[in-house]
Amino acid sequence: MIGHIKITNEEFMLISRLVYQKFGIKLSEKKRALVVNRLHKVLYLGKFHSFTEYYNYVIQEPSGRALLTLVDQISTNHTYFFREKDHFDYFTTEALPRITEILHKKNKKDLRIWCAGCSSGEEPYTLAMIISNYFSDTHLKINIGILATDISISALDKAKAGIYPADRLSQIPPVYRQRHFRPLSNGSWEVKQSLREMVLFRRLNLIRPDYPFKGLFQAVFCRNVMIYFDQTTQQALVERFHRYTEPGGYLFIGHSESIDRSSGLYKYVQPSIYQRI
Ligand SMILES: C[S@@+](CC[C@H](N)C(=O)[O-])C[C@H]1O[C@@H](n2cnc3c(N)ncnc32)[C@H](O)[C@@H]1O
């Protein structure tokens, strides 16, 4: 019976080491029950008889799909619209006016924002609503480009579908909901095309040593992602964010996260908001 397959200490260690090496995610002993619960279904569907058999399959499977299925099961995708709302308030009242001014001075029209670890899309769509609203009040012609990346295929599929049950929309101000969503006959709501066009979803492993981006971003949102990484991984990630952010651009991290302020890479603005030096 698959449901009764136990994981040995060594098997848990092998799987957690693999997840750490490939995706930076730390699986502490506390996560053991969760890992086992989530992987039982994968073992069942793949007709594996033990975690060792499953592990050997994952490390040998040439396409990398098995690894992605593994991280899909392990990663925590919890998110919601307007999460940590004060970030969006700061972004609207302080960051966007400054970014717009710089764009204007440089005679540029491309606003580029990166949402790193976007999960099922609520965060980038929140940004798209806010940015669209901000520029609809001005006469500026700005090309809005939000790159939204994640490692989880299932989260990205949900994000691209852009369909959410009604209760997931409760944090969205009614005027935004009216403007950017349309109700479906089954009670869910769908993101309108005009909003979708602002967001590009891509799969990207943040642990890569570099990223395939041509230009720099004026702001990076990487919120509630680094919490799953250890300090070494976090520091390396922040260095990479620095490389892909315009001078004076912003880094938003989760409220429970922090970065090393002595690195000389970012200036502290307020809790969980930093500005690139
Ligand atoms: C808790 S969600 C955060 C979602 C959103 N940023 C928010 O604050 O609501 C964390 C996301 O990080 C993603 N993630 C974890 N490790 C990753 C990695 N190595 N590369 C890219 N994304 C990763 C997970 O798949 C998950 O969707």
Side-chain angles (χ1 to χ4, degrees):
M1 281 287 289
I2 294 284
H4 293 124
I5 293 179
K6 298 260 184 314
I7 195 165
T8 64
N9 289 344
E10 199 195 343
E11 286 169 332
F12 182 67
M13 200 194 67
L14 284 174
I15 290 176
S16 27
R17 195 190 295 158
L18 183 66
V19 170
Y20 175 69
Q21 282 169 349
K22 299 286 182 187
F23 306 106
I25 300 172
K26 281 296 269 184
L27 291 175
S28 66
E29 190 53 39
K30 278 192 276 175
K31 294 274 169 75
R32 190 180 175 121
L34 178 136
V35 170
V36 172
N37 270 337
R38 291 189 179 176
L39 288 183
H40 263 148
K41 197 173 125 211
V42 183
L43 262 71
Y44 174 74
L45 292 173
K47 300 190 171 58
F48 297 102
H49 297 96
S50 70
F51 280 93
T52 300
E53 200 186 319
Y54 171 64
Y55 171 82
N56 287 334
Y57 165 73
V58 171
I59 56 169
Q60 281 160 29
E61 195 272 325
S63 75
R65 297 292 295 187
L67 253 179
L68 289 175
T69 305
L70 169 63
V71 73
D72 227 341
Q73 298 301 317
I74 301 297
S75 63
T76 303
N77 304 122
H78 176 67
T79 185
Y80 49 93
F81 288 104
F82 286 86
R83 183 179 194 179
E84 299 176 353
K85 186 179 166 295
D86 56 323
H87 279 162
F88 301 113
D89 294 340
Y90 181 88
F91 189 64
T92 315
T93 56
E94 304 289 335
L96 268 178
R98 244 175 261 158
I99 293 170
T100 313
E101 200 183 306
I102 294 170
L103 281 176
H104 183 67
K105 273 190 193 147
K106 292 185 176 171
N107 205 15
K108 285 189 176 168
K109 297 210 174 317
D110 294 329
L111 176 70
R112 298 187 80 227
I113 309 293
W114 179 19
C115 198
C118 65
S119 190
S120 39
E122 287 84 339
E123 185 177 69
Y125 286 134
T126 299
L127 279 165
M129 284 188 264
I130 280 174
I131 296 171
S132 141
N133 192 56
Y134 181 83
F135 286 110
S136 71
D137 292 343
T138 72
H139 299 291
L140 298 168
K141 289 263 170 294
I142 296 288
N143 306 319
I144 303 166
I146 301 170
L147 174 69
T149 64
D150 203 282
I151 194 65
S152 163
I153 294 177
S154 62
L156 285 170
D157 283 347
K158 283 187 200 150
K160 284 182 211 159
I163 295 173
Y164 301 93
D167 60 348
R168 307 272 308 163
L169 273 66
S170 62
Q171 313 285 330
I172 304 178
V175 57
Y176 282 9
R177 193 181 60 185
Q178 183 91 12
R179 198 176 294 164
H180 300 293
F181 287 80
R182 95 187 162 83
L184 300 178
S185 53
N186 65 2
S188 294
W189 290 72
E190 185 179 36
V191 177
K192 285 187 186 169
Q193 187 58 25
S194 49
L195 204 68
R196 285 170 191 270
E197 281 167 3
M198 295 177 207
V199 189
L200 180 68
F201 290 102
R202 285 282 179 270
R203 183 163 57 76
L204 181 100
N205 187 354
L206 288 170
I207 296 313
R208 287 174 56 142
D210 49 33
Y211 305 128
F213 308 146
K214 287 195 196 89
L216 302 179
F217 297 94
Q218 287 105 356
V220 176
F221 285 74
C222 183
R223 309 184 312 153
N224 308 297
V225 179
M226 288 199 281
I227 200 168
Y228 302 105
F229 301 158
D230 67 6
Q231 217 183 344
T232 314
T233 310
Q234 290 179 9
Q235 273 169 6
L237 186 58
V238 169
E239 276 170 34
R240 285 194 291 279
F241 285 152
H242 182 262
R243 247 189 273 156
Y244 293 93
T245 308
E246 286 202 354
Y250 295 87
L251 173 65
F252 293 79
I253 60 175
H255 279 339
S256 60
E257 299 163 326
S258 61
I259 66 170
D260 176 11
R261 291 196 211 171
S262 64
S263 68
L265 301 176
Y266 286 92
K267 186 174 87 183
Y268 171 83
V269 176
Q270 65 181 56
S272 62
I273 305 179
Y274 297 83
Q275 210 171 357
R276 186 202 189 280
I277 293 170

